[in-house]
Amino acid sequence: MNCNEIKDMLSLYMDDELNESEKLMVEKHIQSCDKCRKELEEYKDIKNLLQSLPEEEPPEGYCNRLHEKLLKEKSLKRTNRRWVKYGSIAAAFVLIFAVYAISNMGMGRGSKSENINYDMAATEAPQEDAGEPSPDYNQSDGRSAGKESTAIGYMSDEAKENSMLMTTAMPEKRKMKIIKTGTFVSQTENYDEFVNDLISKVSSLEGYIEENNTSVHNVHDNRELKYGNLKIRIPQEHFYEFVNYLEESSEVFNKNIKETDATKEYYEKDNRVKNLEIQEEHLRELFDKAQTVEETLLIENELRRVRTEIDSLNISLKDIDDRASMSTINLDIEEVLPTNFTLANKDSLWERSKEGFINTVNIIIEIGENLIISIISLAPILIPIIIVFIIVIFRIKKHRKNKL
């Protein structure tokens, strides 16, 4: 981010209204930019100075006088709007009456023009109907047709006028503010080549790479396997074109696309800005009319509050404009080794049988060796147990013989 964008965010940074990522960007920029760091320190000094100022009480009766002035301004504007409203309605009625009068004045000429039209129509009849008698249009028919034509023409003019008024009254169509974001996890066999091609593709789509972090995550046969995290900004109209490019140029394992409609939030803040600007203008008028120091200070504090809120809303509007015009793609790319598939030659039946027999014998030998090792290892325990077992059996046999 450049210095102008950071300066716009300094006030929000001081008020702790930025998210974690924006805070980190501001702090990182301040560490490397002496100019922005100096401006931040000046803001802090001004804030500390303003906080140290004692609060001044407004003069007695000032709030009532200010409230009365605002009510007067509001009533004057309401009266002006009422006159404009009623004047517009009266002008509309005059216009409709004039159109109606003009149309009635032209009704007498309708029969003549209509007779001419019918005569021309009879002259231009198809050739196959030339043998049939043409209809005889008398004067009364011409008059009735003329009245019908004039009425149709009047209705079409009125319809056109109504449609024109409706078009003027319709609000301007708002532009949608859709914020597109995407998160992808993919693998490639050649990291450097993929990143270079990716940078070229981003440039061709009039985008840019906001962040590019690369590290080595593994080493195999003296080859470094890299891992990268990229934050890419792409114009909204090229978002899905770039998504298709990623899926074609790498193996995508995870994909998450999100579209957020910020239209309502944007225009609510925009209307809030417009209302605050009107309020600021009224406060400046009152500031010019202030007669005492107390009144001046009170209005000045209110102006400062309104201007701070306007600046904050404008920064938020710029942020929405930026995210809506330039979509954001977070890409995690991992370099992997190419997979080689080779078919081994199958051995003959005799060789496989021989190999199986040898493996079985080796397993039996290994089991025997492990058993012998286990017996020898447990000898200090097994020998006393065997001796006791033999003695018990011998006594049991001797006891049975004595009973017999």
Side-chain angles (χ1 to χ4, degrees):
M1 300 181 71
N2 54 36
C3 290
N4 292 330
E5 295 177 347
I6 293 296
K7 288 179 181 178
D8 292 338
M9 300 173 67
L10 289 179
S11 176
L12 297 175
Y13 174 77
M14 292 177 57
D15 295 335
D16 196 20
E17 295 183 2
L18 299 177
N19 55 38
E20 294 298 328
S21 61
E22 291 174 341
K23 283 183 182 178
L24 292 175
M25 286 190 293
V26 173
E27 292 174 354
K28 183 178 179 181
H29 182 82
I30 289 173
Q31 291 176 359
S32 60
C33 181
D34 296 334
K35 187 176 180 180
C36 293
R37 183 168 60 252
K38 183 178 179 181
E39 185 165 349
L40 178 62
E41 293 174 355
E42 291 177 354
Y43 282 166
K44 290 181 179 179
D45 294 338
I46 294 173
K47 183 177 180 180
N48 295 330
L49 179 61
L50 292 175
Q51 290 177 349
S52 64
L53 292 176
E55 295 185 358
E56 295 289 340
E57 293 292 335
E60 185 177 357
Y62 171 75
C63 294
N64 293 330
R65 292 196 301 273
L66 179 61
H67 183 67
E68 290 176 359
K69 288 181 180 180
L70 292 175
L71 289 178
K72 288 180 181 179
E73 293 287 338
K74 187 175 181 180
S75 62
L76 289 174
K77 286 191 174 183
R78 187 178 298 170
T79 303
N80 293 334
R81 291 177 182 173
R82 191 176 301 167
W83 278 107
V84 171
K85 178 180 178 182
Y86 292 150
S88 301
I89 295 173
F93 276 112
V94 171
L95 180 61
I96 293 173
F97 179 77
V99 172
Y100 180 75
I102 292 171
S103 63
N104 287 336
M105 290 174 62
M107 287 181 63
R109 303 174 184 176
S111 60
K112 183 177 180 181
S113 61
E114 194 65 20
N115 285 331
I116 295 172
N117 291 335
Y118 279 125
D119 293 341
M120 292 177 64
T123 305
E124 296 176 359
Q127 296 296 328
E128 58 269 16
D129 296 334
E132 298 179 3
S134 61
D136 184 13
Y137 294 99
N138 55 19
Q139 188 175 359
S140 61
D141 292 336
R143 285 197 299 269
S144 63
K147 291 181 180 180
E148 184 180 359
S149 174
T150 306
I152 294 172
Y154 169 69
M155 290 300 293
S156 63
D157 291 340
E158 186 178 3
K160 290 179 181 177
E161 182 181 357
N162 291 335
S163 64
M164 186 179 298
L165 292 174
M166 290 177 63
T167 305
T168 305
M170 288 178 63
E172 183 182 356
K173 187 177 180 181
R174 293 179 173 180
K175 184 179 179 181
M176 297 288 289
K177 300 293 180 181
I178 305 297
I179 300 174
K180 296 180 181 179
T181 56
T183 303
F184 297 85
V185 178
S186 59
Q187 291 181 347
T188 182
E189 296 178 357
N190 193 328
Y191 181 86
D192 293 331
E193 181 180 353
F194 174 77
V195 171
N196 291 332
D197 294 340
L198 183 71
I199 293 173
S200 301
K201 182 65 176 178
V202 171
S203 299
S204 66
L205 296 178
E206 299 180 353
Y208 64 94
I209 296 180
E210 188 172 309
E211 294 181 10
N212 185 358
N213 302 313
T214 303
S215 60
V216 178
H217 73 93
N218 197 0
V219 178
H220 185 271
D221 292 338
N222 295 326
R223 177 184 173 182
E224 295 180 346
L225 300 178
K226 297 179 181 180
Y227 175 85
N229 175 264
L230 294 87
K231 185 175 182 180
I232 306 167
R233 305 298 302 277
I234 295 293
Q236 185 185 32
E237 59 272 17
H238 299 309
F239 178 79
Y240 286 104
E241 180 181 351
F242 185 75
V243 169
N244 293 333
Y245 168 78
L246 283 180
E247 294 176 342
E248 293 173 357
S249 59
S250 64
E251 188 172 358
V252 178
F253 283 91
N254 189 7
K255 179 177 73 171
N256 183 17
I257 294 176
K258 183 179 180 182
E259 294 188 6
T260 304
D261 187 359
T263 307
K264 182 179 178 182
E265 177 187 359
Y266 181 87
Y267 287 105
E268 284 179 352
K269 291 184 177 181
D270 184 61
N271 291 332
R272 177 65 178 162
V273 169
K274 293 177 181 178
N275 293 331
L276 287 172
E277 288 175 347
I278 295 174
Q279 184 179 352
E280 183 184 25
E281 183 180 354
H282 292 334
L283 288 172
R284 292 190 184 278
E285 293 176 358
L286 292 175
F287 183 81
D288 295 335
K289 298 177 182 179
Q291 298 178 356
T292 62
V293 177
E294 290 81 5
E295 293 178 356
T296 303
L297 290 175
L298 184 61
I299 298 174
E300 188 176 359
N301 289 334
E302 185 66 15
L303 277 171
R304 186 182 300 110
R305 183 193 68 80
V306 171
R307 173 44 55 184
T308 302
E309 189 172 356
I310 290 174
D311 292 340
S312 176
L313 289 171
N314 283 330
I315 291 174
S316 179
L317 291 175
K318 289 181 181 178
D319 178 64
I320 294 176
D321 280 330
D322 176 65
R323 289 186 293 154
S325 61
M326 299 291 290
S327 57
T328 304
I329 294 177
N330 295 305
L331 174 63
D332 292 335
I333 185 71
E334 180 183 6
E335 186 178 16
V336 295
L337 292 173
T339 55
N340 295 324
F341 296 97
T342 56
L343 297 176
N345 294 326
K346 292 185 178 181
D347 297 330
S348 61
L349 178 62
W350 168 251
E351 291 178 350
R352 283 185 288 166
S353 301
K354 179 181 177 182
E355 184 179 357
F357 178 79
I358 294 173
N359 290 335
T360 304
V361 172
N362 290 333
I363 291 172
I364 294 173
I365 293 173
E366 185 177 359
I367 292 173
E369 291 176 352
N370 293 333
L371 181 61
I372 293 172
I373 293 172
S374 299
I375 293 172
I376 294 173
S377 300
L378 296 174
I381 299 174
L382 292 176
I383 291 175
I385 292 175
I386 293 172
I387 294 173
V388 172
F389 182 73
I390 293 173
I391 292 173
V392 171
I393 291 176
F394 180 75
R395 286 187 177 183
I396 290 172
K397 288 182 178 181
K398 185 177 180 182
H399 180 68
R400 289 179 179 177
K401 287 181 180 180
N402 291 333
K403 282 185 178 182
L404 295 175

